[in-house]
Coordinates of all heavy atoms in Angstrom, one line a residue:
M1 N 0.8 -1.2 0.0 CA 0.0 0.0 0.0 C 0.9 1.2 0.0 O 2.0 1.2 0.6 CB -0.9 0.0 1.2 CG -2.0 -1.0 1.2 SD -3.3 -0.7 2.4 CE -2.5 -0.6 3.9
A2 N 0.4 2.3 -0.6 CA 1.1 3.6 -0.7 C 0.6 4.4 0.5 O -0.5 4.3 1.0 CB 0.9 4.2 -2.0
T3 N 1.4 5.4 0.9 CA 1.0 6.4 1.9 C 0.7 7.7 1.1 O 1.5 8.1 0.3 CB 2.1 6.6 2.9 OG1 2.4 5.4 3.6 CG2 1.7 7.7 3.9
F4 N -0.4 8.3 1.5 CA -0.8 9.6 0.9 C -0.9 10.7 1.9 O -1.4 10.4 3.0 CB -2.2 9.4 0.2 CG -2.1 8.5 -1.0 CD1 -2.4 7.1 -0.8 CD2 -1.8 8.9 -2.2 CE1 -2.3 6.2 -1.8 CE2 -1.7 8.0 -3.3 CZ -2.0 6.7 -3.1
L5 N -0.5 11.9 1.6 CA -0.7 13.0 2.4 C -1.9 13.8 1.9 O -2.0 14.0 0.6 CB 0.6 14.0 2.3 CG 0.5 15.3 3.0 CD1 0.4 15.1 4.5 CD2 1.6 16.2 2.7
I6 N -2.8 14.1 2.7 CA -4.0 14.8 2.4 C -4.1 16.1 3.1 O -3.9 16.2 4.3 CB -5.3 14.0 2.8 CG1 -5.2 12.6 2.2 CG2 -6.5 14.7 2.3 CD1 -5.9 11.5 3.0
E7 N -4.3 17.2 2.3 CA -4.4 18.5 2.9 C -5.9 18.9 2.8 O -6.5 18.9 1.7 CB -3.6 19.5 2.2 CG -3.7 21.0 2.7 CD -2.9 22.0 2.0 OE1 -3.3 22.3 0.8 OE2 -1.8 22.4 2.5
R8 N -6.5 19.2 3.9 CA -8.0 19.5 3.9 C -8.1 21.0 4.4 O -7.7 21.3 5.6 CB -8.7 18.6 4.9 CG -8.5 17.1 4.6 CD -9.3 16.3 5.6 NE -9.0 14.9 5.6 CZ -9.4 14.0 4.7 NH1 -10.2 14.4 3.7 NH2 -9.1 12.7 4.7
Y9 N -8.7 21.8 3.6 CA -9.0 23.2 4.1 C -10.3 23.1 4.9 O -11.3 22.7 4.4 CB -9.2 24.1 2.9 CG -9.5 25.5 3.3 CD1 -8.6 26.3 4.0 CD2 -10.8 26.1 3.0 CE1 -8.9 27.6 4.5 CE2 -11.1 27.4 3.4 CZ -10.2 28.1 4.1 OH -10.5 29.4 4.6
F10 N -10.2 23.5 6.2 CA -11.2 23.3 7.1 C -11.3 24.5 8.0 O -10.6 24.5 9.1 CB -10.9 22.0 8.0 CG -12.1 21.3 8.5 CD1 -12.5 20.1 8.0 CD2 -12.7 21.8 9.6 CE1 -13.6 19.5 8.5 CE2 -13.8 21.2 10.2 CZ -14.3 20.0 9.6
P11 N -11.9 25.6 7.6 CA -11.9 26.8 8.4 C -12.2 26.6 9.8 O -13.2 25.9 10.2 CB -13.0 27.6 7.7 CG -13.1 27.1 6.3 CD -12.8 25.7 6.4
G12 N -11.4 27.2 10.7 CA -11.6 27.0 12.1 C -11.1 25.7 12.7 O -11.4 25.4 13.8
A13 N -10.4 24.9 11.9 CA -10.0 23.6 12.4 C -9.3 23.6 13.8 O -9.6 22.8 14.6 CB -9.0 22.9 11.4
A14 N -8.4 24.6 14.0 CA -7.7 24.7 15.2 C -8.6 25.0 16.4 O -8.2 24.7 17.6 CB -6.6 25.7 15.1
D15 N -9.8 25.4 16.2 CA -10.7 25.7 17.2 C -11.7 24.6 17.5 O -12.6 24.8 18.4 CB -11.5 27.0 16.9 CG -10.5 28.2 16.8 OD1 -9.6 28.3 17.7 OD2 -10.7 29.1 16.0
L16 N -11.6 23.5 16.8 CA -12.5 22.4 17.0 C -12.4 21.9 18.4 O -11.2 21.7 18.9 CB -12.3 21.3 16.0 CG -12.7 21.6 14.5 CD1 -12.2 20.5 13.6 CD2 -14.2 21.8 14.4
T17 N -13.5 21.5 19.0 CA -13.4 21.0 20.4 C -13.0 19.5 20.4 O -13.1 18.9 19.3 CB -14.8 21.1 21.1 OG1 -15.7 20.2 20.4 CG2 -15.3 22.5 21.1
P18 N -12.6 19.0 21.5 CA -12.3 17.5 21.5 C -13.5 16.7 21.1 O -13.3 15.7 20.4 CB -11.9 17.3 23.0 CG -11.4 18.6 23.5 CD -12.2 19.6 22.8
E19 N -14.7 17.1 21.4 CA -15.9 16.3 21.0 C -16.1 16.4 19.5 O -16.4 15.4 18.9 CB -17.1 16.9 21.7 CG -17.1 16.7 23.2 CD -16.3 17.7 24.0 OE1 -15.9 18.8 23.4 OE2 -15.9 17.4 25.1
Q20 N -15.8 17.6 18.9 CA -15.9 17.7 17.4 C -14.9 16.8 16.7 O -15.1 16.2 15.7 CB -15.8 19.1 17.0 CG -17.0 20.0 17.4 CD -16.8 21.5 17.2 OE1 -15.8 22.0 17.6 NE2 -17.8 22.1 16.6
L21 N -13.6 16.8 17.3 CA -12.6 16.0 16.7 C -12.9 14.5 16.8 O -12.7 13.7 15.9 CB -11.2 16.3 17.4 CG -10.7 17.7 17.1 CD1 -9.5 18.0 17.9 CD2 -10.3 17.9 15.6
R22 N -13.5 14.1 18.0 CA -13.9 12.8 18.2 C -15.0 12.4 17.1 O -14.9 11.3 16.6 CB -14.5 12.6 19.6 CG -14.7 11.1 20.0 CD -15.2 11.0 21.4 NE -14.4 11.7 22.4 CZ -14.9 12.8 23.1 NH1 -16.2 13.1 23.0 NH2 -14.1 13.4 23.9
D23 N -15.9 13.3 16.9 CA -17.0 13.0 15.9 C -16.3 12.8 14.5 O -16.8 11.9 13.7 CB -18.0 14.1 15.8 CG -18.9 14.1 17.1 OD1 -18.9 13.1 17.8 OD2 -19.6 15.1 17.3
L24 N -15.4 13.7 14.1 CA -14.7 13.6 12.8 C -14.0 12.2 12.7 O -14.1 11.5 11.7 CB -13.7 14.7 12.6 CG -14.3 16.1 12.4 CD1 -13.1 17.1 12.4 CD2 -15.1 16.2 11.2
A25 N -13.3 11.8 13.8 CA -12.6 10.6 13.8 C -13.5 9.4 13.7 O -13.3 8.4 12.9 CB -11.7 10.4 15.1
A26 N -14.7 9.5 14.4 CA -15.7 8.4 14.3 C -16.2 8.2 12.9 O -16.4 7.1 12.4 CB -16.8 8.6 15.3
T27 N -16.5 9.4 12.3 CA -17.0 9.4 10.9 C -16.0 8.7 10.0 O -16.3 7.8 9.2 CB -17.3 10.8 10.4 OG1 -18.4 11.3 11.2 CG2 -17.7 10.8 8.9
S28 N -14.7 9.1 10.1 CA -13.7 8.5 9.3 C -13.5 7.0 9.5 O -13.5 6.2 8.6 CB -12.3 9.2 9.6 OG -11.3 8.7 8.8
N29 N -13.5 6.6 10.8 CA -13.4 5.2 11.1 C -14.6 4.4 10.5 O -14.4 3.3 9.9 CB -13.4 5.0 12.6 CG -12.1 5.4 13.2 OD1 -11.1 5.6 12.5 ND2 -12.1 5.7 14.5
D30 N -15.8 4.9 10.6 CA -16.9 4.2 10.0 C -16.8 4.1 8.5 O -17.1 3.0 7.9 CB -18.2 5.0 10.3 CG -18.6 4.9 11.8 OD1 -18.1 4.0 12.5 OD2 -19.5 5.7 12.2
V31 N -16.4 5.1 7.8 CA -16.2 5.1 6.4 C -15.1 4.1 6.0 O -15.3 3.3 5.1 CB -16.0 6.5 5.8 CG1 -15.5 6.4 4.3 CG2 -17.2 7.3 5.9
V32 N -14.0 4.1 6.7 CA -12.9 3.2 6.4 C -13.4 1.7 6.5 O -13.1 0.9 5.6 CB -11.7 3.3 7.4 CG1 -10.7 2.2 7.3 CG2 -11.0 4.6 7.1
E33 N -14.2 1.4 7.5 CA -14.8 0.1 7.6 C -15.7 -0.3 6.5 O -15.7 -1.5 6.1 CB -15.6 -0.1 8.9 CG -14.8 -0.2 10.2 CD -15.6 -0.5 11.4 OE1 -16.7 -1.1 11.3 OE2 -15.2 0.0 12.5
G34 N -16.4 0.7 5.9 CA -17.3 0.4 4.8 C -16.7 0.5 3.4 O -17.4 0.2 2.4
L35 N -15.4 0.8 3.3 CA -14.8 0.9 1.9 C -14.6 -0.4 1.3 O -14.7 -0.5 0.0 CB -13.5 1.7 2.0 CG -13.5 3.2 2.2 CD1 -12.1 3.7 2.5 CD2 -14.2 3.9 1.0
G36 N -14.4 -1.5 2.0 CA -14.3 -2.8 1.4 C -12.9 -3.0 0.8 O -12.8 -4.0 0.0
V37 N -12.0 -2.2 1.1 CA -10.6 -2.3 0.5 C -9.6 -2.0 1.7 O -10.0 -1.5 2.7 CB -10.3 -1.4 -0.7 CG1 -11.2 -1.7 -1.8 CG2 -10.4 0.1 -0.2
A38 N -8.4 -2.4 1.4 CA -7.3 -2.1 2.4 C -7.2 -0.6 2.6 O -6.9 0.1 1.6 CB -6.0 -2.8 2.0
Y39 N -7.3 -0.1 3.8 CA -7.2 1.3 4.0 C -6.9 1.6 5.5 O -7.6 1.0 6.3 CB -8.6 2.0 3.7 CG -8.5 3.5 3.5 CD1 -8.6 4.0 2.2 CD2 -8.4 4.4 4.5 CE1 -8.5 5.4 2.0 CE2 -8.4 5.7 4.3 CZ -8.4 6.2 3.1 OH -8.4 7.6 2.9
T40 N -5.9 2.3 5.7 CA -5.4 2.7 7.1 C -5.3 4.2 7.2 O -4.5 4.8 6.4 CB -4.1 2.0 7.4 OG1 -4.3 0.6 7.2 CG2 -3.7 2.3 8.9
W41 N -6.0 4.7 8.2 CA -5.8 6.1 8.6 C -4.6 6.1 9.6 O -4.8 5.5 10.7 CB -7.0 6.7 9.1 CG -6.9 8.1 9.8 CD1 -6.0 9.0 9.5 CD2 -7.8 8.6 10.8 NE1 -6.2 10.1 10.3 CE2 -7.3 9.9 11.1 CE3 -8.8 8.1 11.5 CZ2 -7.9 10.7 12.1 CZ3 -9.4 8.9 12.4 CH2 -9.0 10.2 12.7
Q42 N -3.5 6.7 9.3 CA -2.4 6.6 10.2 C -2.5 7.7 11.3 O -2.4 7.4 12.5 CB -1.0 6.9 9.5 CG -0.7 5.8 8.5 CD 0.7 6.0 7.9 OE1 1.2 7.1 7.8 NE2 1.2 5.0 7.3
R43 N -2.7 9.0 10.9 CA -2.8 10.0 11.9 C -3.1 11.3 11.1 O -3.0 11.4 9.9 CB -1.5 10.2 12.7 CG -0.3 10.8 11.9 CD 1.0 10.8 12.7 NE 1.3 9.5 13.2 CZ 1.9 8.5 12.6 NH1 2.2 8.6 11.3 NH2 2.2 7.4 13.2
S44 N -3.6 12.3 11.9 CA -3.8 13.6 11.3 C -3.3 14.7 12.2 O -3.2 14.5 13.4 CB -5.4 13.8 11.1 OG -5.9 12.9 10.2
Y45 N -3.0 15.9 11.6 CA -2.5 17.0 12.4 C -3.5 18.2 12.1 O -3.8 18.5 10.9 CB -1.1 17.4 11.9 CG -0.1 16.2 12.1 CD1 0.1 15.3 11.1 CD2 0.5 16.0 13.3 CE1 1.0 14.3 11.3 CE2 1.4 15.0 13.5 CZ 1.6 14.1 12.5 OH 2.5 13.1 12.7
V46 N -3.9 18.9 13.1 CA -4.8 20.0 13.0 C -3.9 21.3 13.2 O -3.2 21.4 14.2 CB -5.9 19.9 14.0 CG1 -6.8 21.1 13.9 CG2 -6.7 18.6 13.9
A47 N -4.0 22.2 12.2 CA -3.2 23.4 12.3 C -3.9 24.5 11.6 O -4.1 24.4 10.4 CB -1.8 23.2 11.7
G48 N -4.2 25.6 12.3 CA -4.8 26.7 11.7 C -6.1 26.3 11.1 O -7.0 25.8 11.7
D49 N -6.3 26.6 9.8 CA -7.5 26.3 9.0 C -7.4 25.1 8.2 O -8.1 24.9 7.2 CB -7.9 27.5 8.1 CG -8.5 28.7 8.9 OD1 -9.1 28.4 10.0 OD2 -8.3 29.8 8.4
K50 N -6.5 24.2 8.6 CA -6.3 22.9 7.8 C -6.1 21.7 8.7 O -5.7 21.8 9.8 CB -5.0 23.1 6.9 CG -5.2 24.2 5.8 CD -4.1 24.2 4.9 CE -4.4 25.3 3.8 NZ -3.3 25.4 2.9
I51 N -6.4 20.6 8.1 CA -6.1 19.3 8.7 C -5.3 18.5 7.7 O -5.7 18.4 6.5 CB -7.4 18.6 9.1 CG1 -8.3 19.4 10.0 CG2 -7.1 17.2 9.6 CD1 -9.6 18.8 10.4
Y52 N -4.1 18.0 8.2 CA -3.2 17.3 7.3 C -3.3 15.8 7.8 O -3.2 15.5 9.0 CB -1.8 17.8 7.5 CG -1.7 19.2 7.0 CD1 -1.8 20.2 8.0 CD2 -1.4 19.5 5.7 CE1 -1.7 21.6 7.6 CE2 -1.2 20.8 5.3 CZ -1.4 21.9 6.3 OH -1.3 23.2 5.9
C53 N -3.5 14.9 6.9 CA -3.7 13.5 7.2 C -2.8 12.6 6.4 O -2.4 12.9 5.3 CB -5.2 13.0 6.8 SG -6.5 14.1 7.5
L54 N -2.4 11.5 7.1 CA -1.6 10.4 6.4 C -2.5 9.2 6.4 O -3.0 8.7 7.4 CB -0.4 10.1 7.2 CG 0.7 11.2 7.1 CD1 1.9 10.9 8.1 CD2 1.2 11.4 5.7
H55 N -2.8 8.7 5.2 CA -3.6 7.5 5.0 C -2.8 6.5 4.1 O -2.0 7.0 3.2 CB -4.9 7.9 4.3 CG -5.8 8.6 5.1 ND1 -7.2 8.6 4.9 CD2 -5.7 9.5 6.1 CE1 -7.8 9.4 5.7 NE2 -6.9 9.9 6.5
E56 N -3.0 5.3 4.3 CA -2.4 4.2 3.4 C -3.5 3.5 2.7 O -4.5 3.1 3.3 CB -1.7 3.2 4.3 CG -0.4 3.7 4.9 CD 0.3 2.6 5.7 OE1 -0.3 1.5 5.9 OE2 1.4 2.8 6.1
T57 N -3.3 3.3 1.4 CA -4.3 2.6 0.6 C -3.6 2.4 -0.8 O -2.4 2.8 -1.0 CB -5.6 3.2 0.4 OG1 -6.6 2.3 -0.1 CG2 -5.6 4.5 -0.4
D58 N -4.3 1.8 -1.7 CA -3.6 1.4 -3.0 C -3.6 2.6 -4.0 O -2.8 2.6 -4.9 CB -4.3 0.2 -3.6 CG -3.9 -1.0 -2.8 OD1 -2.8 -1.1 -2.3 OD2 -4.8 -1.9 -2.8
N59 N -4.6 3.5 -3.9 CA -4.6 4.6 -4.9 C -5.3 5.8 -4.5 O -6.1 5.8 -3.5 CB -5.2 4.1 -6.2 CG -6.6 3.6 -6.0 OD1 -7.5 4.3 -5.7 ND2 -6.9 2.3 -6.2
I60 N -5.1 6.9 -5.2 CA -5.6 8.2 -4.8 C -7.1 8.2 -4.9 O -7.8 8.8 -4.1 CB -5.0 9.3 -5.7 CG1 -3.6 9.6 -5.3 CG2 -5.8 10.6 -5.7 CD1 -2.8 10.6 -6.2
A61 N -7.7 7.4 -5.9 CA -9.1 7.4 -6.0 C -9.8 6.9 -4.8 O -10.9 7.4 -4.4 CB -9.5 6.5 -7.2
T62 N -9.2 6.0 -4.1 CA -9.8 5.5 -2.8 C -9.7 6.5 -1.7 O -10.7 6.7 -0.9 CB -9.1 4.2 -2.4 OG1 -9.1 3.2 -3.5 CG2 -9.7 3.6 -1.2
V63 N -8.7 7.3 -1.7 CA -8.6 8.4 -0.7 C -9.7 9.4 -1.0 O -10.4 9.9 -0.1 CB -7.2 9.1 -0.8 CG1 -7.1 10.3 0.1 CG2 -6.1 8.1 -0.4
R64 N -9.9 9.7 -2.2 CA -10.9 10.7 -2.6 C -12.3 10.2 -2.3 O -13.2 10.9 -1.9 CB -10.8 11.1 -4.1 CG -9.5 11.9 -4.3 CD -9.6 12.8 -5.5 NE -8.4 13.6 -5.7 CZ -8.1 14.7 -5.1 NH1 -9.0 15.2 -4.2 NH2 -7.0 15.4 -5.4
E65 N -12.5 8.9 -2.5 CA -13.8 8.2 -2.2 C -14.0 8.3 -0.6 O -15.2 8.5 -0.2 CB -13.9 6.8 -2.7 CG -15.2 6.1 -2.3 CD -16.4 6.7 -2.9 OE1 -16.3 7.6 -3.8 OE2 -17.5 6.3 -2.5
H66 N -13.0 8.0 0.1 CA -13.1 8.2 1.6 C -13.6 9.6 2.0 O -14.5 9.8 2.8 CB -11.8 7.8 2.3 CG -11.7 8.1 3.7 ND1 -11.3 9.3 4.2 CD2 -12.1 7.3 4.8 CE1 -11.4 9.3 5.5 NE2 -11.8 8.1 5.9
A67 N -12.9 10.6 1.4 CA -13.3 12.0 1.7 C -14.7 12.3 1.3 O -15.4 12.9 2.0 CB -12.3 12.9 1.0
R68 N -15.1 11.8 0.1 CA -16.5 12.0 -0.4 C -17.5 11.5 0.6 O -18.4 12.1 1.0 CB -16.7 11.5 -1.8 CG -18.0 11.8 -2.4 CD -18.3 11.0 -3.7 NE -18.5 9.6 -3.4 CZ -19.6 9.1 -2.9 NH1 -20.6 9.9 -2.6 NH2 -19.7 7.8 -2.7
R69 N -17.3 10.2 1.0 CA -18.2 9.6 1.9 C -18.3 10.2 3.3 O -19.3 10.2 3.9 CB -17.9 8.1 2.0 CG -18.1 7.3 0.8 CD -18.0 5.8 1.1 NE -17.9 5.0 -0.1 CZ -17.9 3.7 -0.1 NH1 -17.9 3.0 1.0 NH2 -17.8 3.0 -1.3
C70 N -17.1 10.7 3.7 CA -17.1 11.4 5.0 C -17.7 12.8 5.0 O -18.1 13.3 6.0 CB -15.6 11.5 5.5 SG -14.8 10.0 6.0
G71 N -17.7 13.4 3.7 CA -18.1 14.8 3.6 C -17.0 15.7 4.0 O -17.2 16.9 4.4
F72 N -15.7 15.2 3.9 CA -14.6 16.0 4.3 C -13.9 16.5 3.0 O -13.9 15.8 2.0 CB -13.5 15.2 5.0 CG -13.9 14.6 6.3 CD1 -13.1 13.5 6.8 CD2 -15.0 15.0 7.0 CE1 -13.5 12.9 7.9 CE2 -15.3 14.4 8.2 CZ -14.5 13.4 8.7
P73 N -13.3 17.7 3.0 CA -12.6 18.2 1.8 C -11.3 17.3 1.6 O -10.8 16.8 2.6 CB -12.3 19.6 2.1 CG -12.3 19.7 3.6 CD -13.3 18.7 4.0
A74 N -10.8 17.2 0.4 CA -9.5 16.6 0.2 C -8.9 17.5 -0.9 O -8.9 17.2 -2.1 CB -9.6 15.2 -0.3
D75 N -8.4 18.7 -0.5 CA -8.0 19.7 -1.4 C -6.7 19.3 -2.2 O -6.5 19.7 -3.3 CB -7.8 21.0 -0.7 CG -9.1 21.5 -0.1 OD1 -10.1 21.7 -0.8 OD2 -9.2 21.6 1.2
L76 N -5.9 18.6 -1.5 CA -4.6 18.1 -2.1 C -4.4 16.7 -1.6 O -4.5 16.4 -0.4 CB -3.4 19.0 -1.6 CG -2.1 18.5 -2.1 CD1 -1.9 18.7 -3.6 CD2 -1.0 19.3 -1.4
V77 N -4.1 15.8 -2.5 CA -3.8 14.4 -2.2 C -2.6 14.0 -3.0 O -2.6 14.0 -4.2 CB -5.0 13.4 -2.5 CG1 -4.6 12.0 -2.2 CG2 -6.3 13.8 -1.8
V78 N -1.5 13.7 -2.3 CA -0.2 13.3 -3.0 C 0.4 12.1 -2.3 O 0.3 12.0 -1.1 CB 0.8 14.5 -3.0 CG1 0.3 15.7 -3.8 CG2 1.1 15.0 -1.6
P79 N 1.0 11.3 -3.2 CA 1.7 10.1 -2.6 C 3.0 10.6 -1.9 O 3.6 11.5 -2.4 CB 2.0 9.3 -3.8 CG 1.9 10.1 -5.0 CD 1.0 11.3 -4.6
V80 N 3.3 10.0 -0.8 CA 4.5 10.3 0.0 C 5.6 9.6 -0.7 O 5.6 8.4 -0.9 CB 4.4 9.9 1.5 CG1 5.7 10.1 2.2 CG2 3.2 10.7 2.1
A81 N 6.7 10.4 -1.1 CA 7.8 9.8 -1.8 C 8.9 9.3 -0.9 O 9.5 8.3 -1.2 CB 8.4 10.8 -2.8
A82 N 9.0 9.9 0.3 CA 10.0 9.5 1.2 C 9.7 10.2 2.6 O 9.0 11.1 2.7 CB 11.4 10.0 0.8
E83 N 10.3 9.6 3.6 CA 10.2 10.2 5.0 C 11.6 10.4 5.5 O 12.5 9.6 5.4 CB 9.5 9.2 5.9 CG 9.2 9.7 7.3 CD 8.5 8.7 8.2 OE1 7.6 8.0 7.6 OE2 8.7 8.7 9.4
I84 N 11.8 11.6 6.0 CA 13.1 12.0 6.6 C 12.9 12.6 8.0 O 11.8 13.0 8.3 CB 13.8 13.0 5.7 CG1 13.1 14.3 5.6 CG2 14.1 12.4 4.3 CD1 13.9 15.5 5.0
G85 N 13.9 12.6 8.7 CA 13.9 13.1 10.1 C 15.4 13.4 10.5 O 16.3 13.2 9.7
P86 N 15.5 13.7 11.7 CA 16.9 14.0 12.2 C 17.9 12.9 12.0 O 19.0 13.1 11.7 CB 16.7 14.3 13.7 CG 15.3 14.7 13.8 CD 14.5 14.0 12.8
D87 N 17.4 11.6 12.1 CA 18.3 10.5 12.0 C 18.7 10.3 10.5 O 19.7 9.6 10.3 CB 17.6 9.2 12.5 CG 17.3 9.3 14.0 OD1 18.0 10.0 14.7 OD2 16.4 8.5 14.4
T88 N 18.0 10.9 9.6 CA 18.4 10.7 8.2 C 19.8 11.2 7.9 O 20.5 10.7 7.1 CB 17.3 11.4 7.3 OG1 16.0 11.0 7.6 CG2 17.6 11.2 5.8
A89 N 20.2 12.3 8.7 CA 21.5 12.9 8.5 C 22.6 11.9 8.8 O 23.7 12.1 8.3 CB 21.6 14.2 9.3
S90 N 22.4 11.0 9.7 CA 23.5 10.1 10.0 C 23.3 8.7 9.5 O 24.1 7.8 9.8 CB 23.5 10.0 11.6 OG 22.3 9.5 12.1
A91 N 22.4 8.5 8.6 CA 22.1 7.2 8.0 C 23.1 6.9 6.9 O 23.6 7.7 6.2 CB 20.7 7.1 7.5

C-alpha cells in the first residue's frame, strides 16, 4: 500500500473541540470500515484552518472516495515519496 498526504482546508480547524474532533474521527473510522478495501488512517494534524492526514491505501481514487463519503474536503492528495527526520542525516 502507498502512503498519501491529504491537505484539507477546514476553516476554524484549530478551534474544534475535543468532542468535534472525536466525531470527525468516528466518521472517518466508520467510512474506512465500509470501503471494502485495504485502507489505514495513520494520523492527522490540525493546524490553523487545515487538517493534514496520512492515509495508506492502494490509490488516490480510494482516498478521494473516503473523503467524499465522509463529507470532508480533500484539497490536495499526494503520494508520499520519502520520509526524513533528524536520523536521516546520520544514515
Side-chain angles (χ1 to χ4, degrees):
M1 286 196 306
T3 300
F4 295 92
L5 175 68
I6 306 150
E7 180 182 74
R8 306 180 191 281
Y9 179 65
F10 206 105
D15 297 322
L16 292 170
T17 67
E19 294 79 18
Q20 290 170 313
L21 292 171
R22 189 176 314 115
D23 289 346
L24 291 174
T27 297
S28 179
N29 289 341
D30 289 345
V31 169
V32 166
E33 283 186 32
L35 284 173
V37 297
Y39 197 103
T40 303
W41 170 28
Q42 292 181 344
R43 71 190 49 83
S44 295
Y45 302 93
V46 179
D49 286 331
K50 294 189 178 179
I51 299 176
Y52 299 91
C53 307
L54 290 173
H55 291 207
E56 288 182 353
T57 192
D58 290 327
N59 58 63
I60 287 176
T62 306
V63 174
R64 293 203 178 279
E65 178 62 14
H66 171 270
R68 186 191 69 75
R69 291 187 192 185
C70 286
F72 301 161
D75 302 298
L76 176 69
V77 180
V78 294
V80 174
E83 183 177 328
I84 65 169
D87 294 340
T88 305
S90 59

